[in-house]
Amino acid sequence: LPGVQALLRKLQSLVEVPGQLRRWAAPGGDPARALRCYARARAVLRHYRHLPSFRAIEDESHAIMADLARCLRARLRDDTLDPKELTECVEMLLQLEEPPEELCEEFLSHAGARLEAELAVLEAELPPADPSGAAATPPPASDILDFVDRGSSAFVGNLCLLAASYRSLFQGRPGAGDARLEAFAAALTARYFQLLERRLALERGLGDTSLLVRALDRFHRRLRALLELLPAAGAEAGAALVARAARERVERYLRALQTFFLGCLGDVRQALAAPRPPGKEGPGLPDLLATLASSILGQLKAVLAYVQLFTARDIAFASLPYFKGEFCVEAVREGLVVAFVRWLCRTARGFADGPAERGAPAAPPALLLLLARLCLDYEATTISYILTLTDEQFPPQDTGPAVTPGPALCAEARGAAQRLLDHYVQVQGAAVAQMLRKSVETRDWLGTVEPRNVRAVMKRVVEDITAIDVQVGQLFEEGVRRAQSSDSSRRAFSVYSSSRAPSRYAPSYTPSAPMDTHLLSNIQKLFSERIDIFSPVEFNKVSVLTGIIKISLKTLLECVRLRTLGRFGLQQVQVDGHYLQLYLWRFAADERVVQGLLDEVAASAVHRCLDPVPMEHSVVELICERG
Amino acid sequence: ARALTPQTAETDAIRFLVGTQSLRYDNQIHIIDFDDENNIINKNVLLHQVGEIWHISTSPADKGVLATCYNKTSDTKVMTCAAVWRMPKELESGSHESPDDSSSNTQTLELLCHLDNTAHGNMACVMWEPMGDGKKIISLADNNILLWDLQESSDKAVLSSSAALEGKGQLKFTSGRWSPHHNCTQIATANDTTVRGWDTRSMRQIYCIENAHGQLVRDLDFNPNKQYYLASCGDDCKVKFWDTRNVTEPVKTLEEHSHWVWNVRYNHSHDQLILTGSSDSRVILSNMVSISSEPFGHMVDDDELSDQEDQHQEEK
């Protein structure tokens, strides 16, 4: 009897099933319970299908459940579902044995729509993608860290949850494999990366690098969590994004350094050109040089400190292979430090090679001197210091791409310094030479009167050369001078140069006689030391001064040879020459050079004179002393 | 000596004329024959007593006619004048006597005519119309370009047209050259750092190369085989090659010398060879194939001939 009672109860519950189902499946009911009930009943119903009454129940409940399924499906399309409800819905549908492929499609598209909405919110913050480049866009409303935060927590977080629930729902079901999920996720993450890149592009100027680093770090960490679930979602793309951002920032720093250097140069030029109140000394060149060098170095160190934020130990992405290797070597050492040093040398050199001939305002000679010294210092010490510092902060890999060796950079610096110094000598030499040239060309050498004093232009020449000596002496050391002979300062400026050429004037005239004596003196010139006029100078004061004096005196020589002098003209040249010799010998590395050139001037003057009667030497000395 | 010129009308022998520059002794013109088969140099001497010679040029039509610019000095003034001369007949074609023989056989030049420059200034140079009939010459005097017509037997020079360079300061032509192209209607002149091209028919400026050299331009020469190509050299120690159709940039720049370059000359048959002389006591022969008329790649020796000979083209 108890068995029968149990059976009767079961039957009763079975009959009640449709009613219950209907109640629960109705909107507002509890579909979960309906499902459970149905699940329990289903097996029994199936078993007794052959009985018509059971069949009816089964059909009815089946219809109700189908209804329910339709309802649920309709609910799926409702946008207001949150992920949890969505999951429940899908779960129930799965239990209702709806086809999994369709379900996962619906699931993904629904979830996808939600995620898209989140991305759209992020995109709304960005100005419209303007293909024509950065128009005058207003600065973004929030900073980059905020943007990344929201993106990471909302989008990435939700994507993670989605992936997890997908897996739990559809694991192992046919037709709903991981591939679909991965494709779905990859597409969305690609969009996310794009938005992030656009946002990064909005970072104007150098802003706050630490903020950028933190933002990238956060992005990278959240991404890592996602990638653990879905490795194919875009590991490389994410890493590449971070790498690109870092590289771009480093490039910006390079440009900022370049601008800074040009600014410093502008300051130096202004300081050199500023009108000075009388009696007050101008800015000393060593001070200007020290300021320039230290500001550049200071700025470079600051930049390196900023860039080092990218490789700090507590930064997650710093352990990426890119940052350990390529970033240090290519982006920082080569792309920033080496590139900057090279650019500096090129720019300095440009002052010497530049189109100064075309009438453009040329660099002031003091600037040339300053830059020459700067490059020389760079070659000597600064470059190796900078490279050591860089290598310390950004240790290079052993097997990495080729690095520029320090000596190569030093060679470039030295080349620039040499070019600048040569150019300085040429410019200063040309200035003095021009004075001398004008003085010879415009004077009436035939009709001049007996010389009473040294010509003013010669005094100016000596003054200018003294000033140049002081200027160069501020930045370069003295250099080696040939030991002077005892009577150097009293050496007579003789019209007939004593030791070298023999007397030039054969007493008898035959057609070939002048040829002989000239031939002899020319042969002698071949064997005496040739004076190279525009030759590279060494990095010391006497070499520079000697170069300038050589250029000036050679010009004097060539110009005298083009004129015809009268007797007093010759005597004036004699007086001027002696004066120059008195004062210029001490500037040259080898006083014989000055002596030799002045001897040639004298000889040429005699040659060009109609009536060569030189002045008494004592009178010449008297005039010079008075002058 | 500063003045040297080939005997332009002579096409067979290698002959040069050199003018002396002496304040004390009578000046002379030496006719120098170079016998390239035997490597012998022969010389004949002509007296040029009017003054020291600063520039000399020969007529392209008549082997015996030449022009010189010389200094006439008085006690108070020096004036550079120009005159046209004729050589004695027998010396026109040179003579191949041995040098010892030429002892005191100095003959005189016959003065044909003066180029009157009282109105103008010091003559810088005289140019003959290349490939012409020897009747037209141009002289540069201070800032004037003077075109002369030599009458019948060249015994009178009549000024047919002139042009003057206007501008601030004392403008002075330093040198000039008559272009052998364009039917000989173009000349180029140098003053200070500027090179100008002129049309001789209208006496107007055609082109102007400003700041051709950083300092004074000393000499010019036209490429004999390539129209529009011009070489210039100056006190900035450089030699520059120009295309006169585009004068903003030189086609090429040579910086071989270490002091002022006084002369530049193209070789008349092989225009890739250029000779330059400088007061750094060097004469440099350069091979500029890329801007010559020689087809590229046909030369057997491609490397640059830089013979640094210690000859003195101008006695230094």
Side-chain angles (χ1 to χ4, degrees):
Chain A
L1 202 58
V4 175
Q5 202 174 12
L7 188 64
L8 275 174
R9 259 205 297 275
K10 275 195 212 155
L11 277 173
Q12 191 182 13
S13 64
L14 259 180
V15 170
E16 283 172 1
V17 160
Q20 285 177 327
L21 284 183
R22 196 170 292 122
R23 203 172 55 239
W24 287 329
D30 190 354
R33 280 183 77 179
L35 271 171
R36 279 199 298 275
C37 174
Y38 181 67
R40 276 197 307 264
R42 198 160 52 185
V44 178
L45 285 172
R46 207 164 281 158
H47 193 68
Y48 291 106
R49 198 177 274 176
H50 56 275
L51 293 172
S53 45
F54 284 105
R55 185 66 184 275
I57 297 176
E58 191 195 4
D59 285 341
E60 211 184 332
S61 24
H62 200 75
I64 297 172
M65 291 320 279
D67 244 348
L68 178 63
R70 264 198 305 278
C71 264
L72 285 175
R73 273 204 117 120
R75 243 187 107 199
L76 262 190
R77 291 199 191 93
D78 183 0
D79 284 333
T80 61
L81 274 183
D82 68 39
K84 195 160 160 304
E85 289 174 0
L86 177 67
T87 321
E88 282 176 4
C89 220
V90 174
E91 210 169 351
M92 285 191 270
L93 280 168
L94 280 173
Q95 283 175 350
L96 284 173
E97 292 181 1
E98 295 284 314
E101 313 88 63
E102 288 175 34
L103 279 180
C104 79
E105 272 304 319
E106 295 249 351
F107 178 70
L108 284 179
S109 64
H110 191 279
R114 210 183 177 77
L115 288 172
E116 288 264 344
E118 275 166 16
L119 283 180
V121 167
L122 283 180
E123 184 166 10
E125 284 188 28
L126 300 173
D130 189 9
S132 68
T137 48
S142 61
D143 65 36
I144 180 96
L145 188 57
D146 205 29
F147 185 90
V148 170
D149 238 351
R150 270 181 290 124
S152 299
S153 50
F155 172 78
V156 179
N158 286 344
L159 189 56
C160 282
L161 285 174
L162 178 80
S165 36
Y166 181 98
R167 286 242 172 86
S168 64
L169 282 175
F170 294 102
Q171 197 78 30
R173 293 192 199 251
D178 248 7
R180 193 170 282 176
L181 175 67
E182 282 176 1
F184 170 78
L188 280 176
T189 50
R191 261 206 72 197
Y192 175 55
F193 290 159
Q194 223 179 25
L195 288 178
L196 187 57
E197 289 241 43
R198 271 172 63 190
R199 177 62 184 79
L200 282 172
L202 287 180
E203 286 290 293
R204 286 288 141 70
L206 290 170
D208 190 352
T209 303
S210 65
L211 199 66
L212 175 69
V213 172
R214 274 182 20 230
L216 287 173
D217 191 36
R218 194 156 299 177
F219 163 78
H220 182 80
R221 280 184 213 260
R222 296 285 167 82
L223 193 65
R224 240 192 350 208
L226 175 64
L227 290 176
E228 267 161 37
L229 278 178
L230 296 169
E236 300 88 48
L241 191 144
V242 176
R244 261 200 308 278
R247 228 186 358 255
E248 221 262 292
R249 186 43 66 109
V250 170
E251 272 169 30
R252 281 228 186 108
Y253 271 122
L254 175 64
R255 282 197 291 279
L257 273 176
Q258 290 172 347
T259 319
F260 180 76
F261 179 71
L262 289 175
C264 283
L265 275 189
D267 290 339
V268 167
R269 281 181 94 143
Q270 224 169 12
L272 286 173
R276 281 166 228 143
K280 187 172 175 307
E281 268 294 310
L285 285 180
D287 295 332
L288 284 175
L289 178 69
T291 320
L292 181 66
S294 62
S295 5
I296 299 172
L297 202 58
Q299 193 73 0
L300 187 62
K301 282 202 232 178
V303 163
L304 281 178
Y306 279 125
V307 175
Q308 203 176 19
L309 287 171
F310 280 93
T311 56
R313 224 165 305 185
D314 57 345
I315 298 293
F317 60 71
S319 53
L320 282 175
Y322 170 74
F323 280 91
K324 278 216 173 108
E326 223 178 290
F327 180 72
C328 293
V329 174
E330 267 191 39
V332 179
R333 190 181 193 279
E334 296 295 310
L336 181 64
V337 175
V338 169
F340 176 65
V341 170
R342 276 222 162 105
W343 175 88
L344 192 144
C345 291
R346 258 200 325 271
T347 312
R349 202 187 177 114
F351 281 99
D353 292 337
E357 292 178 21
R358 288 268 151 182
L367 183 67
L368 294 172
L369 207 60
L370 205 79
L371 286 174
R373 183 82 232 182
L374 183 73
C375 289
L376 202 63
D377 288 342
Y378 263 64
E379 183 232 0
T381 52
T382 318
I383 287 180
S384 48
Y385 172 69
I386 291 176
L387 285 178
T388 320
L389 190 67
T390 312
D391 286 342
E392 268 173 32
Q393 293 187 352
F394 300 89
Q397 304 285 74
D398 294 310
T399 61
V403 295
T404 315
L409 286 179
C410 289
E412 274 188 45
R414 196 185 181 88
Q418 182 74 61
R419 184 81 192 85
L420 282 164
L421 201 60
D422 289 343
H423 192 72
Y424 175 80
V425 168
Q426 277 178 24
V427 165
Q428 296 287 57
V432 176
Q434 190 67 4
M435 269 198 291
L436 287 169
R437 189 204 293 251
K438 280 270 170 324
S439 78
V440 172
E441 280 176 6
T442 54
R443 193 185 179 83
D444 176 11
W445 291 99
L446 270 185
T448 188
V449 296
E450 186 166 5
R452 292 256 173 268
N453 32 33
V454 180
R455 281 193 299 156
V457 66
M458 296 299 158
K459 297 190 191 166
R460 258 200 75 193
V461 163
V462 170
E463 277 169 18
D464 282 1
I465 293 196
T466 317
I468 292 173
D469 183 70
V470 168
Q471 192 182 59
V472 177
Q474 285 184 3
L475 290 179
F476 288 90
E477 67 264 8
E478 177 91 5
V480 172
R481 218 187 244 133
R482 180 182 155 269
Q484 295 109 25
S485 56
S486 56
D487 61 340
S488 53
S489 58
R490 291 181 288 108
R491 174 87 196 270
F493 177 71
S494 86
V495 169
Y496 302 102
S497 69
S498 46
S499 52
R500 296 198 312 161
S503 159
R504 295 166 193 250
Y505 309 103
S508 66
Y509 167 70
T510 60
S512 48
M515 286 291 286
D516 280 344
T517 48
H518 284 141
L519 199 59
L520 207 55
S521 72
N522 284 331
I523 289 177
Q524 206 154 30
K525 271 202 200 127
L526 284 181
F527 290 108
S528 66
E529 220 177 272
R530 168 178 296 155
I531 299 179
D532 254 335
I533 300 299
F534 286 116
S535 51
V537 297
E538 294 166 28
F539 291 102
N540 57 51
K541 189 179 69 155
V542 292
S543 179
V544 170
L545 263 294
T546 309
I548 295 175
I549 291 175
K550 278 197 293 195
I551 294 174
S552 321
L553 290 183
K554 182 90 168 142
T555 307
L556 180 62
L557 170 65
E558 294 296 333
C559 290
V560 164
R561 291 170 62 106
L562 289 173
R563 303 302 308 268
T564 312
L565 311 172
R567 179 203 306 186
F568 294 137
L570 171 67
Q571 293 184 351
Q572 181 70 64
V573 170
Q574 206 183 340
V575 168
D576 291 343
H578 186 73
Y579 182 81
L580 285 178
Q581 194 220 314
L582 275 183
Y583 289 101
L584 289 184
W585 71 267
R586 69 173 60 88
F587 295 119
D590 186 352
E591 54 161 349
R592 291 177 301 182
V593 166
V594 178
Q595 189 67 51
L597 280 170
L598 286 170
D599 278 348
E600 280 191 44
V601 171
S604 301
V606 167
H607 191 65
R608 293 300 306 162
C609 182
L610 293 173
D611 177 21
V613 175
M615 195 180 254
E616 280 278 326
H617 189 69
S618 50
V619 183
V620 171
E621 281 186 346
L622 196 64
I623 296 180
C624 286
E625 265 165 50
R626 241 193 358 212
Chain B
R2 239 176 235 272
L4 176 142
T5 185
Q7 192 182 35
T8 329
E10 173 65 68
T11 47
D12 288 327
I14 301 174
R15 192 167 304 120
F16 293 93
L17 296 163
V18 178
T20 63
Q21 203 176 53
S22 166
L23 285 175
R24 263 162 228 108
Y25 304 105
D26 281 345
N27 284 282
Q28 307 167 336
I29 292 186
H30 292 220
I31 306 170
I32 300 184
D33 262 286
F34 178 62
D35 180 358
D36 54 352
E37 285 166 36
N38 307 322
N39 264 353
I40 299 179
I41 295 183
N42 287 312
K43 179 186 77 181
N44 281 291
V45 178
L46 291 168
L47 285 181
H48 179 281
Q49 286 140 323
V50 286
E52 51 173 5
I53 302 169
W54 285 86
H55 186 89
I56 187 171
S57 51
T58 52
S59 161
D62 189 335
K63 284 194 236 177
V65 175
L66 56 119
T68 59
C69 296
Y70 58 91
N71 266 11
K72 205 161 81 165
T73 30
S74 62
D75 271 341
T76 51
K77 208 160 68 98
V78 175
M79 191 70 172
T80 317
C81 310
V84 182
W85 312 83
R86 180 178 289 286
M87 285 193 271
K89 258 285 180 269
E90 56 271 19
L91 289 178
E92 272 177 33
S93 319
S95 53
H96 290 257
E97 301 153 18
S98 57
D100 306 325
D101 238 336
S102 63
S103 48
S104 46
N105 231 356
T106 56
Q107 296 167 283
T108 21
L109 287 166
E110 177 200 339
L111 172 66
L112 290 176
C113 62
H114 277 286
L115 297 178
D116 181 20
N117 64 333
T118 43
H120 300 114
N122 290 318
M123 294 282 188
C125 78
V126 172
M127 310 180 258
W128 295 81
E129 184 190 15
M131 303 178 287
D133 55 1
K135 290 289 167 242
K136 278 216 176 102
I137 53 178
I138 284 185
S139 66
L140 300 177
D142 270 354
N143 60 332
N144 298 296
I145 303 176
L146 308 167
L147 177 60
W148 305 83
D149 244 331
L150 288 180
Q151 304 295 332
E152 300 314 317
S153 45
S154 305
D155 58 355
K156 196 151 136 37
V158 171
L159 183 63
S160 64
S161 59
S162 69
L165 192 58
E166 307 296 336
K168 283 191 306 190
Q170 280 185 328
L171 295 169
K172 203 163 105 75
F173 286 119
T174 47
S175 86
R177 205 97 180 106
W178 204 319
S179 167
H181 304 292
H182 311 289
N183 267 336
C184 301
T185 53
Q186 281 191 19
I187 61 170
T189 60
N191 68 298
D192 203 21
T193 59
T194 316
V195 173
R196 293 170 207 271
W198 305 78
D199 184 327
T200 54
R201 294 165 297 191
S202 61
M203 286 309 226
R204 283 198 193 288
Q205 191 175 299
I206 317 173
Y207 55 83
C208 176
I209 309 177
E210 297 268 356
N211 274 325
H213 289 265
Q215 298 179 44
L216 206 55
V217 179
R218 290 268 173 200
D219 198 18
L220 308 161
D221 195 20
F222 281 94
N223 185 324
N225 298 335
K226 263 184 125 162
Q227 283 194 26
Y228 306 116
Y229 275 79
L230 169 67
S232 67
C233 64
D235 283 358
D236 57 352
C237 318
K238 296 190 187 150
V239 179
K240 290 192 185 175
F241 296 88
W242 306 87
D243 182 336
T244 56
R245 294 165 293 192
N246 176 17
V247 295
T248 44
E249 277 290 316
V251 172
K252 203 149 173 72
T253 307
L254 285 180
E255 277 189 71
E256 305 283 331
H257 285 288
S258 62
H259 203 251
W260 307 348
V261 186
W262 289 75
N263 291 93
V264 62
R265 280 290 174 271
Y266 277 95
N267 180 313
H268 276 246
S269 11
H270 302 290
D271 61 289
Q272 72 269 29
L273 294 176
I274 286 120
L275 198 63
T276 51
S278 156
S279 39
D280 62 358
S281 316
R282 283 199 186 88
V283 171
I284 296 186
L285 178 66
S286 308
N287 186 5
M288 302 269 107
V289 185
S290 57
I291 53 175
S292 73
S293 58
E294 186 77 27
F296 221 3
H298 281 227
M299 285 289 290
V300 175
D301 50 324
D302 278 345
D303 22 26
E304 186 172 324
L305 296 168
S306 264
D307 293 331
Q308 292 179 10
E309 308 151 31
D310 280 312
Q311 275 174 32
H312 295 264
Q313 190 170 14
E314 304 166 25
E315 268 182 29
K316 297 269 175 233

